[in-house]
Amino acid sequence: MVYSSKLASLDLPKSSIIQFLFANKFNTPQDRPLLIDADDGRYLTFAELKDQVLRFGAGLQDVCGFHANDVVAVYAPNQYNYFVPILGALAANGAATTANPNYNVDELSYQLEMSKAKVIICHEENVKTALKAADRVGISKKNLFVFGESSIHGIQPFQEALLGSRRAVPDALTYDEAKNKVAYLCFSSGTTGKSKGVMTTHANVTANTCQWTSIDEPFVDRSQDRMIAVLPFFHIFGLSAILHTAVYWGIPVHVLSRFDLNKFCEIVEKQKITIAPLVPPIYVLLAKEKSVLSYDLSSLRIGISGAAPLSGSLSREVKARLPHLSIKQGYGLTEISPAAISEPLDRIIDGSIGVLLPNMTAKVIGEDGKETPQGERGELCLKGPNVMKGYLHNPQATAQCIDDEGYFHTGDVVVVDEHQHFFVVDRIKELIKYKGFQVPPAELEGILLKSPIVADAAVVGIYDSSQATEMPRAYVTLVSGTAPSDKIARQIMKFVADQVVPYKQLRSLRFVDSIPKSPSGKILRRVLRDAAHQEENTENRPKL
């Protein structure tokens, strides 16, 4: 059956992201600090953000020869002014692509090449990598800039080089233009090992901001609430749920460049933070770490969980410590801009990802491609104004996941109860979700097979309840003459770690005589996962 949202449909925006955010629907005071550096207290007010965005856009045009539909790559950890180059690219009538600040040269070069980025905004921590990648793909050094106030390796800070006196005049997009003009190019990993650029339009973002915020508006006090940002802004969850939401609502957000539990607790206590968008591994720490008990976190009212499933038991553990905190889940993907389903704060069901947001429809289909009855398992397919335009330079992949009716096939298996609350129970796609990040098994397998001592390999995700996340595990067959040992296992894991960003590293390794495969040669990952479950059950079996 087809499920339609039971929430009232919204009259969605029909303008660009710039027009939408700076229309200031909720009359945010122009001098209210919105984006605040949690470390040193620097901030941008609503008026300063708008001013710097427009000046940045003009700087792109005047200094970098930036034209309509050109792309700015933002390659940095969270910064209080991260939104300036993001929105500045849009103000110059172009687009922005956000890159993981820990990417190596190969990974960054791939994204720069795919997105055809013309300008890079990097950080002092990764400027050397940015320079190498820029040289590889042919981006002029004069189009590289850094966050901060000092030049690094000859690269100027963008605040000094691009924020002149002129202000850009963004195009006033019609609704049709907003539905077709790409604003963001976030990259989503695929099971083939190569990440895909997701073309997110202006209308996708403005629609989803309204869909996402509408469900919480009755419970939010825009004059008093404060948010904390520890989720990475390069990820669509942080970009949307924090930056767009904060500016749209006019709610101050305290930005941490990276997560540290004690720093997080200190900021919550000191600034009386009320809203915290987090991921399950952070909720594990809040539930289990003793140091948390040393802080007064009673100001926290709304906890948002996304990027990976949050179990009902973990949610209850957190609330046992923080009884004042309501924890709601949201479900989405980069391809959905990103939210499609969320728990209403007044009727949270532990373990549920929520109900369909306004203007959304869904269907649940079985292996035969037919819609399943309510209460039966099936793949979740979603349709709405927030579904991406498609994958960048990849119409074949787009056609494979968006059907003729406009439904995006998520690869997640769900069950829907009689009240239309959705529960994720499995995943068809092979992606591993490690602490909210996507890890494609095929990429790690390709690296493993380059090792001279690895004959064959397979990688699967093994769920670790203690960390509330899947962990990438390799199953390896060694070449003749190499004997399995802990030393060899460490050697292979380091071989992989040296070639990938930290979140893609293997977390465990098992030696096997052969990799289970189908007659066609496809790795039978479920066989390996079943073996892992059997191993865990054996280890945990009471000793007689």
Side-chain angles (χ1 to χ4, degrees):
M1 63 180 291
V2 173
Y3 300 92
S4 296
S5 175
K6 292 185 175 182
L7 302 174
S9 294
L10 304 175
D11 183 15
L12 297 174
K14 296 176 172 57
S15 63
S16 73
I17 294 171
I18 296 291
Q19 292 168 290
F20 168 73
L21 289 178
F22 294 124
N24 197 4
K25 176 181 176 180
F26 298 106
N27 297 314
T28 301
Q30 295 291 319
D31 60 352
R32 175 179 291 172
L34 279 190
L35 305 174
I36 305 163
D37 189 313
D39 289 319
D40 60 23
R42 289 177 298 170
Y43 62 81
L44 289 175
T45 65
F46 186 92
E48 288 170 339
L49 174 63
K50 180 179 179 180
D51 180 65
Q52 291 196 19
V53 163
L54 297 179
R55 289 164 62 201
F56 184 96
L60 286 176
Q61 296 166 338
D62 299 342
V63 177
C64 305
F66 195 87
H67 299 107
N69 302 320
D70 281 342
V71 176
V72 172
V74 181
Y75 174 56
N78 286 6
Q79 305 290 297
Y80 80 100
N81 55 348
Y82 191 97
F83 221 12
V84 171
I86 296 290
L87 294 180
L90 307 189
N93 303 316
T97 186
T98 53
N100 187 323
N102 295 313
Y103 268 173
N104 60 30
V105 174
D106 290 340
E107 291 165 323
L108 180 60
S109 297
Y110 173 76
Q111 183 164 337
L112 295 174
E113 189 170 35
M114 283 290 291
S115 65
K116 295 182 170 57
K118 187 170 187 174
V119 176
I120 304 174
I121 310 297
C122 57
H123 189 265
E124 62 179 10
E125 295 176 357
N126 58 23
V127 65
K128 290 183 179 179
T129 301
L131 282 165
K132 292 176 182 177
D135 182 64
R136 182 180 295 185
V137 302
I139 296 176
S140 172
K141 184 177 178 180
K142 73 178 183 65
N143 282 0
L144 265 69
F145 307 93
V146 294
F147 282 91
E149 300 174 355
S150 303
S151 295
I152 308 292
H153 300 292
I155 305 302
Q156 289 182 287
F158 76 77
Q159 288 179 290
E160 176 183 313
L162 298 181
L163 300 188
S165 58
R166 191 176 77 83
R167 289 159 181 78
V169 180
D171 288 341
L173 303 182
T174 66
Y175 189 34
D176 283 341
E177 289 171 336
K179 287 192 291 186
N180 285 285
K181 186 172 178 60
V182 174
Y184 301 140
L185 292 167
C186 296
F187 276 64
S188 176
S189 295
T191 56
T192 58
K194 284 292 187 181
S195 57
K196 298 187 288 291
V198 174
M199 294 188 289
T200 303
T201 69
H202 285 257
N204 287 154
V205 174
T206 58
N208 201 227
T209 301
C210 291
Q211 290 172 298
W212 170 255
T213 56
S214 68
I215 198 169
D216 290 336
E217 276 183 8
F219 311 98
V220 171
D221 183 344
R222 287 183 292 274
S223 66
Q224 298 295 325
D225 280 321
R226 309 179 74 82
M227 196 182 304
I228 190 167
V230 295
L231 302 180
F233 292 156
F234 73 83
H235 192 284
I236 191 71
F237 185 17
L239 184 63
S240 176
I242 298 176
L243 288 179
H244 286 85
T245 297
V247 174
Y248 176 59
W249 270 344
I251 290 179
V253 55
H254 295 261
V255 179
L256 281 77
S257 60
R258 54 181 49 83
F259 177 74
D260 174 86
L261 180 61
N262 290 326
K263 183 67 175 179
F264 169 85
C265 293
E266 176 187 321
I267 295 300
V268 170
E269 179 181 72
K270 181 178 179 181
Q271 302 297 339
K272 305 300 180 187
I273 301 297
T274 58
I275 302 174
L278 306 172
V279 289
I282 296 178
Y283 284 112
V284 170
L285 298 176
L286 292 176
K288 300 182 183 300
E289 287 294 323
K290 290 183 179 180
S291 60
V292 172
L293 301 175
S294 302
Y295 297 91
D296 178 6
L297 307 183
S298 59
S299 63
L300 280 176
R301 296 190 304 108
I302 301 173
I304 301 167
S305 182
L310 179 73
S311 70
S313 60
L314 176 55
S315 180
R316 289 188 289 273
E317 282 188 71
V318 177
K319 286 188 286 188
R321 275 190 168 185
L322 305 174
H324 43 274
L325 178 64
S326 295
I327 304 173
K328 54 169 281 177
Q329 289 202 71
Y331 171 87
L333 310 94
T334 305
E335 292 87 345
I336 308 292
S337 309
I341 297 171
S342 182
E343 280 284 87
L345 280 164
D346 58 348
R347 47 194 174 101
I348 293 174
I349 297 177
D350 289 341
S352 169
I353 56 173
V355 300
L356 286 170
L357 292 177
N359 303 66
M360 294 296 303
T361 57
K363 60 183 179 181
V364 180
I365 59 172
E367 294 182 3
D368 58 2
K370 297 180 180 179
E371 294 168 18
T372 62
Q374 182 267 318
E376 292 190 12
R377 295 162 55 105
E379 181 184 9
L380 175 63
C381 304
L382 295 164
K383 183 178 181 180
N386 47 328
V387 174
M388 68 172 179
K389 183 176 182 177
Y391 291 119
L392 183 66
H393 312 313
N394 201 338
Q396 182 179 1
T398 303
Q400 288 173 349
C401 69
I402 300 179
D403 64 27
D404 293 339
E405 295 180 318
Y407 281 93
F408 177 80
H409 292 237
T410 67
D412 285 311
V413 179
V414 300
V415 170
V416 186
D417 71 12
E418 66 273 21
H419 302 296
Q420 287 198 19
H421 280 259
F422 287 71
F423 298 79
V424 175
V425 294
D426 204 348
R427 185 160 62 250
I428 295 172
K429 293 182 179 180
E430 297 172 345
L431 282 175
I432 299 165
K433 284 286 189 75
Y434 173 72
K435 296 189 175 181
F437 294 105
Q438 298 174 333
V439 181
E443 178 181 349
L444 299 183
E445 289 160 359
I447 294 172
L448 284 164
L449 293 174
K450 292 177 183 178
S451 169
I453 60 174
V454 173
D456 201 0
V459 175
V460 296
I462 305 299
Y463 188 77
D464 183 337
S465 58
S466 68
Q467 297 192 53
T469 187
E470 286 183 320
M471 310 284 272
R473 173 181 291 179
Y475 286 84
V476 169
T477 300
L478 297 172
V479 297
S480 177
T482 302
S485 68
D486 289 343
K487 180 180 179 181
I488 291 295
R490 289 193 297 271
Q491 179 182 332
I492 294 171
M493 291 175 69
K494 184 178 185 304
F495 178 81
V496 174
D498 288 344
Q499 301 181 62
V500 298
V501 291
Y503 71 81
K504 291 183 181 178
Q505 294 177 11
L506 295 171
R507 305 295 155 170
S508 60
L509 185 147
R510 299 289 186 271
F511 295 109
V512 292
D513 293 333
S514 62
I515 302 297
K517 295 180 180 179
S518 70
S520 64
K522 184 177 180 180
I523 296 172
L524 300 176
R525 300 185 195 277
R526 184 166 291 280
V527 172
L528 296 172
R529 283 193 285 266
D530 289 345
H533 293 322
Q534 180 63 37
E535 175 186 328
E536 181 181 359
N537 290 337
T538 300
E539 289 176 350
N540 294 334
R541 188 175 299 157
K543 302 296 189 292
L544 300 177

